[in-house]
Structures are given as structure tokens and as C-alpha cells.
């Protein structure tokens, strides 16, 4: 009968005892509705003990029940004539029991709950036509031991009317908190007890942390802990988990709610946990679902290569399209993978594992790699793949790669890595060693250098041998010697090995003529000493002469050590020009040439592009120069002389001759095809589009080609950007070889300055070549400086619109081209060095090459530019050419010679006029103070 919420009005039964004093009386309540009451009122008699009890009340799981009693109670004072026997309270009892029909329960079985007193003034209490005042008292009692209980009311002499008894227990009602459902829960046994309740997650949700709440004694839920989260694809709406709508998704239960599909993706059905990518877009495994769908990158761009002996610097610019991602990386495919990265010219084979890629071969995030440990004089193809996180998912491959082919140069052998000593005696030992890991050619000789350890390198001996062993004699007994070995090929000496130390012993066997050896040693030591002394003297003197002399000396030494270097043969020394052409150029069958289109006009006729298919080789693109009909003998000779010259060269930065057609007409010269044509036009077309490193890379290529020509004793005489050709990989190659042409047929020279021997391209030519036709490698270096200026200024015309006479005059007066806009200071300084008046002071191509390599290795050095100086310089150029007054200081600044300002001032030259009045001789004195 007990319910959780509704009060239960208890049926009361008269307690069956001898003193039956409680009576059931019907009365009217205040609204005149008849009600039943139990009344007792024996106030005049002492020792009252009148009991009234209820039926058995089932507990129904409750642990604490509440008893609400409504009653009236008469004030003893209001009863006339009552004495000490009158009471104003009654007692409430309970008795727990499993028996629902106990007919008799002993008084002593009941446990007292409380003595109940009225809290209302009830003086006037009465029923019927009188006012009745009701008392309501609630008591609670713990009932935990039996299935139910009985309640009893004990009257001890009061005047009471029991109107109602309501018995109830309390529950915490069913509720949903933090997406967990908590059931209707009966409160605990004690007033302070909390019942711990575990909730269960609502539909389409999962537990985040065990959901718990406490049911308090008064039916309130307390302290919610933990809770649930809507499953992926669902979000909380109104305390329940509802599916995300189409176009929305929720990936994780912890995401706050459904989100709109990211760019380039969609969801078609409700409840999406991820959005599908649009066609052509992809998602990497590691991409979060919130990320937009992306695409693989396009191929890397502008891959350039700079060959330095057996290493290659490769640089490229990032792909045009990054596919919406920022994780582009670059790979050089490993051997065995598609498009193996390197091939030899004959048979495509992957690079060996000994080739080093720095900083690495795969996963590169920079756009520069140095590949070293390559074989000398070998043709390599490098393929760079651009990849990003979705490359694999998209299955894209070749479209994302670019390749470049290079040919490595000659290189000295690598050092000998280990040396062994055997047959050690008092005065001798036998040394042996292995061939260097990278001989880079045929080893012609080994050089052994050794000295007593105590002596350091103050005096040493050198021995040379063709084999990999040598007997060293004439040593002192019981002495530690240090040995180094190096190898020599046609490319020169490699580096010495690290030092290896061996000691002679006291063993006299085998004995070898001691006296002779001592004398030999003495002679050798003193000989070497004298040699050293002479070298030192030469070294000191030459250093005082020029800052470039030290390295120049080195390079001369190099030449000396390279007796195998080929020397260029002037085809005009052949009486029969056809003999020269057939010695240096291959005759090509005209049927293997397929002409496609005219690409320009050369001095002897059209220049066409086309294809050449030589048997057993793959078809290649070529440029075809032809000799127009009606030529003279001299023209034929001059035309073919270019091929005879070109055919002697074999270098990646010199235009390669494929062959000639002389057996039928028109005569043709076939060269490799350079997709980007001549450098000056190419730069003008791509004004400002290259990085400084790319420009330096081009310059490096030209310098490398020029070094090769100068090593072969060939003087070009017309080095200019218009005579450099550029291929699709930005590799620059020197072209335009010819002898008479240099002075007569270059359009730059025509109608310009007529020297006693012919026409000269004034702006590119060194003063001594203009003045007295002194064409040397040093005059090529001057021209190289001008080419540098052309490159850095993207094909600007040297000396702008100044006329040739003014150019000659300005150069004579010390004027030099200013740094082009954004030109790194070091590059302009190198140009100025190339334009030293004294040709001995100019750097060699070898030094220029070293310098450019250093700059490429340390790109930071290229950062400092002259900046706004260009504007001043441009002004300077107009001022000088229009002979306006210009302050000496400004002028020096504009030509990059401000360092001479103090020197000039000290010499008394403070204005431009006074300086211009200087004779050439005086100027040289001041510019080069000794
Ligand atoms: O600037 P260009 O396009 O490059 O125009 C000239 C033209 O022929 C007359 O010399 C071009 N040319 C010459 N040799 C080659 C070559 N090997 N590959 C491509 N173009 C060439 C030059």
C-alpha cells in the first residue's frame, strides 16, 4: 500500500485490549464533509494506557518511512474540573514484522518513535458547529529488518481525536543527467545517507566516465559524476543523441557536435562520421577528418645542376601547385624503384649505394641537395619527385617529377685509406697500401711522403712509385717515422692519406749499404730544404704582388702536375681544313637528320632545330647550322673551323658537337639542342624570376666551361651572354667558337671600334685587347665579368646607351659598371676583380670557380646587396655620360670604389675634375698603392 509519492491514509484498528477506550466517531470537517476519527478522552481517570494500532503496512523496499499524523488535542485547562490526571501528548510506536495478520502484539514488542505534542493552541477546539484546529506532525522511522510494520498510538490520559495518518517513503525520481539515465531510486535508511546510483548511457552514446549520482535522504539527486558522449555521427540534442544531418559529420565522440564537411568533401547520408573527398581530392591516413581534402603536388620546377668534379649541387624551386598542403617533400628514387635516379650514358643503371646525398635522398624538405662520391667523367640523370601526404593515396607518379642530366668532371683520386709496413729493419721497411676507394681514373703514380716524427714536416722525403708498395731505405734505427701516400691520375694528385706511423728497430738485417743511404738521406733532406726555401721565397714575393697569386700559383702547380691535360689545336694550323674537320668532328649521314623548324639566323645561314637518330643510340634533339649556298672557300673554311674547334671539347658547360655534314650540301654543323636559346634573350624574358643561387649556378656553369677552355689554352675572345646557350635545366654552355668571326662577324663588333686587326665587341673586351689586341685568358676573364653583370641584371646592355668611344674612355678613366639591382656585394666585387686594369691582377677561371663554389656552399654570403646603390649608379651613368659635375665621393660610391676615397684625398684629389685630369699612369699608381 505504500507508494512513493501518494500518501497513504492508514486504516486504524482499535487495539484489542481489556481497556478499550479509543472510539471511532464520525464528525464533520471544517468544510462540513463528514470524516471518521478515532477519539479518546479519559482525562478524569488516572493511569490511562489506551492503545490504537494500524494494519500491517508492507515496506516495499523502503528503508525509512514517514508518518504524518493529523489530530486535535484538548488543552487540559479548557476542561473544567480536571486535575493532575489530564495529559496533552500521546506516544507513537512501531513494530516490524513479516506477518501481515498478527492479531495480538505485546505492548513491549512496540518500539517508541516519539511523544507527540500539539503545537497549536487548541483551547477552542471542537467539532460540529465549533471551530476545529488540526495539528499535523510528521515523524520518520527506520524500517529495515522485516517485510513490513505496524504503527500504534498510545494515549496516557489526553483528549485526542486522530483525523488522519499518512505513511510514505521518499524516492529520487528517474532523471537524465550528462546523457546518462538514472532510475527512480528509494532514499537511504538514515537521514544523512546517500545512495550511490550508476547511470546508463542513453541510446547512441558511450561512456566517457562512469556516470554516477547520489540519491539524498530527502529525494534530491546530488553530486553528478562522469557521464556519456554521443557516438561518432551523433550529437546531443535535448538530452538525447541525434544523427548528424547530410553535409555534416562528427568524427569522434569527444567532438563538441556535428560540423560542416571541410572543403572539397561531402556527406550524403545522416550520421556521417567522416566526409568523403570530392573526385580528384584525397585525404592522407594521418589527415584529421576536419582537414580539407587535398591533391598531390605538381612537379618541382627549374631544376638546376652545378657540377663540381665528382659532386653535383642540385637545386630546384617548389612545385607550382602544392595541392593545398604544406608537407611537400622531395625524393630521389632509390635504386630499384621506378625511374632509378642515376644512369650511366651507355646503360641506364641505378646509382650505387656509395653515392652520398646530403642532406638526404628521401624526405627532403629543402630544395637543395649535394650529391657526392659520384664517378668521374660519368653521365648521370637525377630525378626529383615531389610528394606530399596524398601522393600515395592518389597514385600519382611521373607527373610529379623532373629530371636533369649531368656529366661529372675529372677528379683527383680519393686518399689512400690504409698503409701497412713489413720487413722492418734498423734502416728500412717495406710499405704497401690498397688502391684508393675512388681512383676516379687510371692511377699513374703514387707519391710517398715521410719524415721522422720528431722532426715533424720540417724535413721530409718524397718517393714515387707505379706500384702499390715501396721499399723505404736509409732510415735511422729505432726511430718513429710518419708516412703519407697519395695517388695521381690524369686529373692530378689526390689528397695525402692520414698519417701512419712506423718505427724502425735495432735488427741489422737485411743490411743495405748504410753509408750510401745516409748520404742520400742527407742530400735529399738538404735538397728538399733548398727547394722549400726557394718555394717560400717565390711564395712570399708573389703574395705581395697579388691577392690572387697564391691560388694562381696553386693552379699553375696543378697544371704542372697534370701533364695529361689536352691542349687545344688551332685548326688553321692544318694546311687542309678538311683534315682538321675529320680529325675532330664526326661525319653524319644526312639521312639520320630530321629538320623541324628554323630557330634563328647565324652568320653563315639559318639555324634550325631537329632530331638526330644515330644507329644504336636513342634519338636526340639537335640544333643544325647550315652554310648558305654560294659560299666562298674562305667562308667554307671559317664555317667548318667552328666545328673543328668545338669537336676538341668535351665538357658539360661547352656546347657539344654531334657532328658535321660535309659530304653533301648544304654543309651542316650539328650540335646538341639548347631549349632556352641564348642566355641574354632568355634572361630578358624571365626578368627577376630567378633566385640569386640560380643565377650564381648559371655563372658557375659558365666559369666551369671557361676554366676548361683556359686549361686547354683556348682563348674565346667573344665571351658574352649572347654566346651562352641555356638548356631546359638552366645549364649554361659556352658556344660560338670561331676565329676570324671573333673580330669580324659578331654583330656587336660591326661598325663599332675598328682595331688595327678587325672589329671588337668593345663592351665585353678588356682594354689591352682593344688597345693592342692582347687576347688572353685574362681578357676572357674581363669578358666573364661583363657576362656576370649581364646575368645579374637579367640581360641589361652593358654601359646602357653609352657609345663605344665613351665606354672606352670611361674604362680608361677608371669607371666600372656599378652593381646591378639586388646584386650581392660579393658578386659585384668579383666583377670588379675581373675588371682590374692590370690583367695579372685579375682572378683566374679556377679562382672564380672556387669563389662561386664557396658562395653556393654558403648562400648567406650572397645576402648582402648594395640595395639602393643601383639608383645612384644609374644616376652616375647618366651623369658621367653627359659629363655633368659629380662629386668625387658620389662617383666613387657609384662605381664601388669608395674604398679609395681616403687614398685619393690624401693624394690631394678631392674633386672629380681633378681626378679626370689624371694621367693613366698616375691613376694606376693611386689605385694600386704598394
Ligand atoms: O637566342 P636564340 O634562340 O639562340 O637564337 C640564336 C639563333 O640560334 C642563332 O644563333 C639559336 N641557337 C644556336 N645554337 C643553338 C643550339 N645549340 N640550341 C638552340 N638554339 C641555338 C640561338
Amino acid at each position: 500500500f505504500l507508494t512513493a509519492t501518494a500518501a497513504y491514509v492508514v486504516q486504524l484498528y482499535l487495539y484489542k485490549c481489556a481497556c478499550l477506550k479509543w472510539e471511532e466517531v464520525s464528525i464533520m470537517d471544517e468544510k462540513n464533509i463528514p470524516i471518521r476519527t478515532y477519539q479518546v478522552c479519559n482525562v478524569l481517570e488516572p493511569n490511562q494506557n489506551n492503545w490504537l494500532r494500524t494494519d500491517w503496512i508492507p515496506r516495499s523496499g523502503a528503508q525509512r518511512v514517514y508518518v504524518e499524523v493529523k489530530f486535535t488535542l484538548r488543552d487540559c485547562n479548557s476542561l473544567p474540573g480536571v486535575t493532575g490526571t489530564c495529559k496533552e501528548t500521546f506516544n507513537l510506536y512501531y513494530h516490524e514484522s513479516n506477518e501481515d495478520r498478527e492479531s495480538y502484539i505485546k505492548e513491549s514488542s512496540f518500539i517508541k518513535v516519539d511523544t507527540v505534542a500539539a503545537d497549536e493552541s487548541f483551547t477552542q477546539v471542537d467539532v460540529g458547529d465549533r471551530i476545529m484546529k488540526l495539528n499535523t506532525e510528521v515523524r520518520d522511522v527506520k524500517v529495515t529488518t522485516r517485510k513490513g510494520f505496524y504503527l500504534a498510538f498510545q494515549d496516557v490520559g489526553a483528549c485526542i481525536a486522530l483525523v488522519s495518518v499518512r505513511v510514505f517513503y521518499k524516492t529520487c525520481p528517474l532523471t537524465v543527467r550528462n546523457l546518462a539515465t538514472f532510475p527512480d531510486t528509494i532514499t537511504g535508511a538514515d537521514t544523512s545517507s546517500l545512495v550511490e546510483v550508476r547511470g546508463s548511457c542513453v541510446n547512441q552514446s558511450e561512456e566517457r566516465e562512469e556516470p554516477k549520482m547520489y540519491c539524498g535522504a530527502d529525494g534530491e539527486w546530488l553530486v553528478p559524476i562522469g557521464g556519456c558522449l554521443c557516438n561518432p555521427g551523433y550529437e546531443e540534442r535535448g538530452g538525447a543523441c541525434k544523427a548528424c544531418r547530410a553535409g555534416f559529420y562528427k568524427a569522434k565522440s569527444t567532438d563538441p557536435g556535428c560540423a560542416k564537411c571541410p572543403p572539397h568533401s561531402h556527406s550524403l547520408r545522416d550520421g556521417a562520421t567522416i566526409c568523403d573527398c570530392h573526385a580528384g581530392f584525397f585525404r592522407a591516413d594521418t589527415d584529421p577528418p576536419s582537414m580539407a581534402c587535398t591533391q598531390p603536388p605538381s612537379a618541382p620546377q627549374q631544376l638546376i645542376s652545378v657540377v663540381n668534379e665528382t659532386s653535383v649541387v642540385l637545386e630546384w624551386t617548389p612545385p607550382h601547385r602544392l595541392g593545398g598542403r604544406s608537407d611537400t617533400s622531395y625524393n630521389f628514387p632509390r635504386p630499384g624503384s621506378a625511374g632509378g635516379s642515376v644512369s650511366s650514358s651507355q646503360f641506364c643503371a641505378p646509382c650505387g649505394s656509395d653515392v652520398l646525398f646530403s642532406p638526404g635522398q628521401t624526405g627532403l624538405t629543402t630544395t637543395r641537395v649535394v650529391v657526392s662520391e659520384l664517378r668521374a667523367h660519368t653521365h648521370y640523370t637525377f630525378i626529383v619527385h615531389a610528394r606530399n601526404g596524398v601522393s600515395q593515396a592518389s597514385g600519382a607518379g611521373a607527373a610529379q617529377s623532373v629530371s636533369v642530366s649531368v656529366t661529372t668532371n675529372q677528379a683527383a683520386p680519393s686518399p689512400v685509406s690504409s698503409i701497412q709496413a713489413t720487413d722492418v729493419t734498423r734502416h728500412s721497411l717495406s710499405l704497401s697500401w690498397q688502391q684508393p676507394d675512388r681512383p676516379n681514373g687510371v692511377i699513374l703514380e703514387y707519391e710517398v711522403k715521410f719524415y721522422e716524427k720528431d722532426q715533424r714536416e720540417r724535413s721530409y722525403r718524397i718517393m714515387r712509385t707505379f706500384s702499390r708498395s715501396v721499399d723505404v731505405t736509409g732510415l735511422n734505427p729505432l726511430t718513429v717515422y710518419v708516412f703519407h701516400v697519395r695517388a695521381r691520375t690524369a686529373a692530378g694528385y689526390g689528397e695525402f692519406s692520414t698519417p701512419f706511423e712506423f718505427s724502425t728497430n735495432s735488427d741489422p738485417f737485411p743490411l743495405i749499404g748504410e753509408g750510401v743511404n745516409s748520404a742520400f738521406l742527407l742530400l735529399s733532406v738538404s735538397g728538399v730544404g733548398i727547394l722549400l726555401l726557394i718555394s717560400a721565397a717565390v711564395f712570399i714575393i708573389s703574395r705581395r704582388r697579388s691577392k690572387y697569386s697564391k691560388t694562381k700559383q696553386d693552379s699553375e702547380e696543378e697544371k704542372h702536375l697534370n701533364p695529361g691535360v689536352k691542349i687545344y689545336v688551332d685548326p688553321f694550323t692544318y694546311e687542309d681544313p678538311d683534315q682538321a674537320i675529320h680529325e675532330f668532328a664526326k661525319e653524319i649521314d644526312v639521312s639520320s637528320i630530321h629538320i623541324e623548324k628554323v630557330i634563328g639566323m647565324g652568320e653563315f645561314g639559318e639555324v634550325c632545330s631537329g632530331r638526330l637518330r644515330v644507329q644504336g643510340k636513342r634519338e636526340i634533339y639537335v640544333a643544325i647550322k647550315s652554310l648558305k649556298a654560294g659560299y666562298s672557300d674562305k667562308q667554307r673554311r671559317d664555317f667548318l673551323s667552328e666545328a673543328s674547334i668545338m669537336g676538341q671539347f668535351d665538357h658539360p658547360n661547352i656546347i657539344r658537337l654531334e657532328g658535321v655534314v660535309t659530304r653533301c650540301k648544304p654543309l651542316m654543323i650539328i650540335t646538341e639542342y639548347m631549349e632556352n636559346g641564348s642566355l641574354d634573350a632568355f634572361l630578358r624574358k624571365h626578368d627577376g624570376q630567378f633566385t640569386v643561387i640560380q643565377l650564381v649556378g648559371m655563372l658557375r656553369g659558365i666559369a666551369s666551361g671557361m676554366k676548361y677552355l683556359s686549361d686547354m689554352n683556348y682563348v674565346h675572345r667573344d665571351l658574352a651572354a649572347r654566346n651562352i646557350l641555356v638548356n631546359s635545366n638552366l645549364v649554361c654552355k659556352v658556344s660560338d667558337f670561331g676565329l676570324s668571326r671573333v673580330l669580324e662577324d659578331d654583330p656587336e663588333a660591326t661598325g663599332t671600334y675598328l682595331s688595327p686587326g678587325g672589329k671588337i665587341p668593345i663592351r665585353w673586351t678588356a682594354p689591352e685587347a682593344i688597345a693592342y689586341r692582347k687576347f688572353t685568358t685574362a681578357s676572357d676573364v674581363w669578358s666573364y665579368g661583363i657576362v656576370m653583370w649581364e646575368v645579374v641584371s637579367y640581360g641589361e646592355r652593358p654601359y646602357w646607351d653609352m657609345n663605344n668611344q665613351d665606354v672606352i674612355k670611361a674604362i680608361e678613366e677608371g669607371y666600372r659598371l656599378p652593381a646591378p639591382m639586388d646584386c650581392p656585394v660579393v658578386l659585384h666585387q668579383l666583377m670588379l676583380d675581373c675588371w682590374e686594369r692590370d690583367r695579372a691582377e685579375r682572378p683566374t677561371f679556377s679562382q672564380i670557380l672556387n669563389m662561386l663554389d664557396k658562395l653556393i656552399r654558403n648562400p648567406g654570403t650572397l645576402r648582402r646587396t648594395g640595395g639602393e646603390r643601383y639608383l645612384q649608379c644609374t644616376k652616375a651613368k647618366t651623369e658621367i655620360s653627359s659629363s655633368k659635375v659629380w662629386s668625387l665621393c658620389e662617383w666613387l660610391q657609384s662605381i664601388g670604389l669608395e674604398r679609395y676615397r681616403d687614398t685619393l684625398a690624401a693624394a690631394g684629389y678631392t674633386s672629380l675634375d681633378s681626378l679626370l685630369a689624371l694621367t693613366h699612369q698616375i691613376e694606376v699608381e693611386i689605385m694600386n698603392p704598394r
Side-chain angles (χ1 to χ4, degrees), residues 599-602 607 623 625 655 671-674 677-678 681 725:
I599 52 171
M601 256 330 265
V607 182
K625 285 188 183 182
I655 196 85
T671 64
E672 66 179 305
Y673 181 62
M674 301 292 282
S678 52
L725 290 168

Side-chain angles (χ1 to χ4, degrees), residues 117-146:
D119 54 5
E120 286 287 339
S121 158
F122 41 86
T123 319
Q124 296 175 322
V125 166
D126 209 337
V127 289
D129 51 351
R130 277 167 296 169
I131 303 160
M132 187 182 78
K133 285 215 169 160
L134 269 180
N135 283 284
T136 303
E137 291 291 327
V138 180
R139 297 292 183 272
D140 55 296
V141 59
K142 182 170 158 183
V143 280
T144 52
T145 59
R146 301 286 190 279

Side-chain angles (χ1 to χ4, degrees), residues 242-287:
K242 300 279 167 55
C244 299
R245 292 192 304 276
F248 288 77
Y249 77 103
K250 194 180 108 176
K252 283 187 277 151
S253 52
T254 46
D255 291 345
C258 299
K260 223 168 167 308
C261 286
H264 310 299
S265 69
H266 57 270
S267 69
L268 299 176
R269 272 179 283 132
D270 287 357
T273 55
I274 192 159
C275 298
D276 297 325
C277 290
H278 293 342
F281 286 83
F282 307 91
R283 191 175 272 131
D285 291 345
T286 50
D287 287 353

Side-chain angles (χ1 to χ4, degrees), residues 64-80:
R64 173 162 294 273
V65 295
Y66 295 80
V67 182
E68 180 199 78
V69 186
K70 289 193 173 166
F71 63 96
T72 62
L73 211 138
R74 287 206 57 172
D75 181 353
C76 286
N77 295 332
S78 70
L79 296 168

